[in-house]
Amino acid sequence: VTQKEKLKNKYPNVDVLTLSATPIPRTLNMAVSGLRDLSALKQAPADRQPIQTYVLEYDKRIIAAAIDKELRRHGQVYYLHNDIDTIEQTARKVEEMTGGRARIDIAHGRMNEEQLTKVWKKLLNHQTDVLVCTTIIETGVDVPNVNTLIIENADRMGLAQLHQIRGRIGRSTLKGYAYFTFTRGKQLSEIAEKRLRTIREY
């Protein structure tokens, strides 16, 4: 935003075209209130397939099968566990689920730039099969080979955030699969249920 404002102030007679995959609330509000023109590009890029989305109670067997299915087609997986304190324990759990066959790495916001750069390089070079991560992937690097996303406790996230994170997969000609899970037997709040139903349907 700061950079755009600098450009607008420096060149007041130049029209500015802003492109956004997911408009931030401020931009969206300006468009809806008529302060800014808005055009929506609704056609997906050529060969891009819609992401198959599942909303389900957490089930180790289903998750293990989803990971196995992705690895068998030589793809990679994002496994989102949004709690830094227990992320290493979760990575061990994922390793057990895959029978130790998958190369697993971790990414979260308390890691420094050097550590994160190493993780992203390994992911891009296909030296990592499953990245156990927090919502740090929201603004991550485009990795076309990651086409399965598993989210634990998806009911705790907002609709825009779920949509943004799901957009991290399905960025190639391969079909993407997203699994939004919640704790088995948990009674979801009405708003959480609506969010998950909406993202599955649309």
Side-chain angles (χ1 to χ4, degrees):
V1 172
T2 307
Q3 296 301 322
K4 282 194 288 186
E5 293 308 316
K6 277 183 186 175
L7 285 169
K8 282 192 229 172
N9 289 331
K10 194 169 182 181
Y11 307 103
N13 298 323
V14 174
D15 292 327
V16 177
L17 172 66
T18 303
L19 299 175
S20 174
T22 47
I24 59 171
R26 175 178 170 268
T27 310
L28 201 54
N29 184 47
M30 288 173 82
V32 172
S33 60
L35 294 172
R36 179 178 280 188
D37 290 331
L38 175 73
S39 296
L41 300 176
K42 295 182 181 178
Q43 189 175 345
D47 300 324
R48 187 74 57 87
Q49 299 182 49
I51 296 163
Q52 180 72 54
T53 305
Y54 301 96
V55 176
L56 65 154
E57 286 186 325
Y58 190 89
D59 185 321
K60 267 189 180 179
R61 288 169 304 173
I62 293 172
I63 300 308
I67 294 171
D68 184 58
K69 181 181 176 181
E70 186 60 58
L71 299 189
R72 273 191 281 114
R73 64 176 185 170
H74 307 293
Q76 294 161 282
V77 178
Y78 284 137
Y79 187 104
L80 199 151
H81 173 83
N82 205 28
D83 184 346
I84 296 172
D85 295 332
T86 55
I87 199 164
E88 287 186 15
Q89 184 184 321
T90 300
R92 286 194 294 273
K93 178 180 78 175
V94 173
E95 191 172 17
E96 282 170 27
M97 276 195 282
T98 61
R101 294 186 308 276
R103 296 165 297 175
I104 293 164
D105 228 321
I106 292 171
H108 59 75
R110 283 193 205 145
M111 294 167 77
N112 62 38
E113 192 179 341
E114 190 182 334
Q115 290 171 314
L116 284 171
T117 300
K118 278 182 186 172
V119 170
W120 288 120
K121 277 184 180 172
K122 282 174 74 179
L123 192 68
L124 285 163
N125 294 330
H126 206 162
Q127 294 168 316
T128 298
D129 296 315
V130 182
L131 183 67
V132 179
C133 54
T134 59
T135 53
I136 195 168
I137 59 165
E138 243 179 317
T139 52
V141 181
D142 187 10
V143 189
N145 203 44
V146 179
N147 282 299
T148 291
L149 166 70
I150 295 153
I151 302 182
E152 285 186 5
N153 299 312
D155 54 300
R156 295 183 190 168
M157 296 182 187
L159 187 58
Q161 189 174 36
L162 288 170
H163 179 68
Q164 173 81 353
I165 293 167
R166 186 176 61 174
R168 296 285 97 209
I169 63 165
R171 303 177 79 84
S172 69
T173 55
L174 287 176
K175 188 162 189 65
Y177 295 92
Y179 297 80
F180 294 164
T181 74
F182 53 91
T183 307
R184 182 174 284 281
K186 183 177 183 181
Q187 183 63 48
L188 299 182
S189 68
E190 189 183 345
I191 191 81
E193 205 172 306
K194 276 182 181 173
R195 276 199 299 261
L196 292 173
R197 195 185 312 125
T198 301
I199 200 150
R200 183 185 61 208
E201 287 174 8
Y202 296 100

